[in-house]
Amino acid sequence: MSAAPTVIRTKDFVADAAAFILELAHKAIVERGEFRIALSGGNTPAPVYARVAMETHDLPWKSIRFTFGDERCVPPDDPQSNFRMARETLFVPAAVPEKSIMRMRGEIDPQIAAQEYEDQLNAIANGRGEPIYQHDLILLGLGDDGHTASLFPGTAALEDTTRLVVANFVPKLNAWRLTFTFPLINHARHILFLVGASKNPELIERVLAGDRQFPAAQVSPVAGEVTWMIGE
């Protein structure tokens, strides 16, 4: 069983989250020569990404690999696209080289896009002799229904124990999403939940208490750490 999550409550959410990410980036590059981070979508991380872009003058972008924990099944220039949000807030302002970014192809058939992404992660892991692609940091959010990434309550992806990336149909949205699965998420060295001040405190408490009806409560890394950064 992994250790209990660390909970940081902060009135300076954006600055503290950006500092957390940058500190882990520097540490990973010193220790392993590379920093692997999975980005999350939604409104909460956008200002954090913008802050990271402002403060990263000394980061060797070629040593950083950006992936995405989930993606909407839309083209990359669509306003709903997680990639577009990251591109506008982080990649373009910080001049991140294209080869550091692994985009989920939301515009093609979801099953094919998910398999393609998993194959890319596996190819990198195999090249390094790793059994599974290990992120240094996965950023996650918390939905009002307790979902995280695109792992929504009652959806098929919650039960997947073998795949790393899947196409997940979300009935309440009547839409497909691409998402990391728990086997991939729970293999990370560190997971950071970014939760804004407007989130229902009772939901947060129930997830932190491990109420498994909420997918976010099933995030429990095998050998990694979980931190919750909660805005106040």
Side-chain angles (χ1 to χ4, degrees):
M1 187 65 202
S2 57
T6 302
V7 179
I8 300 169
R9 297 180 188 273
T10 172
K11 290 186 163 56
D12 206 353
F13 180 80
V14 169
D16 287 351
F20 186 99
I21 293 166
L22 290 168
E23 187 181 340
L24 271 190
H26 286 291
K27 186 165 170 273
I29 289 168
V30 167
E31 289 175 5
R32 289 178 293 279
E34 175 179 52
F35 178 56
R36 298 175 180 177
I37 176 172
L39 302 179
S40 63
N43 299 322
T44 306
V48 176
Y49 298 164
R51 182 69 173 249
V52 168
M54 272 170 49
E55 296 186 359
T56 50
H57 315 299
D58 58 342
L59 270 189
W61 291 119
K62 64 181 189 308
S63 304
I64 299 180
R65 191 182 297 280
F66 291 96
T67 54
F68 286 82
D70 70 322
E71 183 56 280
R72 280 79 179 257
C73 292
V74 295
D77 55 358
D78 188 283
Q80 290 293 302
S81 163
N82 289 343
F83 168 78
R84 176 178 165 165
M85 184 273 277
R87 186 172 55 97
E88 291 177 351
T89 55
L90 175 57
F91 300 153
V92 170
V96 176
E98 212 152 285
K99 63 175 186 294
S100 292
I101 304 161
M102 284 177 65
R103 179 174 80 80
M104 286 181 167
R105 295 210 293 157
E107 71 275 22
I108 65 171
D109 176 284
Q111 312 293 339
I112 294 171
Q115 186 64 57
E116 176 184 272
Y117 209 74
E118 179 170 311
D119 290 347
Q120 288 175 314
L121 293 176
N122 282 335
I124 295 165
N126 293 341
R128 297 288 175 89
E130 302 164 6
I132 176 174
Y133 186 93
Q134 186 171 36
H135 285 88
D136 296 300
L137 178 62
I138 295 180
L139 302 178
L140 292 174
L142 177 65
D144 292 332
D145 57 0
H147 82 265
T148 194
S150 280
L151 297 165
F152 286 79
T155 57
L158 298 181
E159 309 306 323
D160 207 305
T161 56
T162 55
R163 291 287 305 275
L164 305 184
V165 184
V166 295
N168 194 27
F169 185 72
V170 184
K172 78 172 197 176
L173 303 174
N174 191 31
W176 287 91
R177 290 281 185 89
L178 303 172
T179 187
F180 284 4
T181 60
F182 288 122
L184 180 57
I185 291 171
N186 286 330
H187 198 66
R189 289 191 167 90
H190 211 123
I191 290 161
L192 176 63
F193 277 93
L194 295 172
V195 182
S198 60
K199 196 62 63 180
N200 178 350
E202 189 200 347
L203 170 66
I204 296 170
E205 290 314 315
R206 288 177 68 182
V207 171
L208 284 170
D211 186 337
R212 292 178 72 84
Q213 68 170 301
F214 302 114
Q218 298 178 45
V219 172
S220 180
V222 192
E225 297 172 55
V226 181
T227 301
W228 285 68
M229 192 163 288
I230 302 169
E232 295 203 307

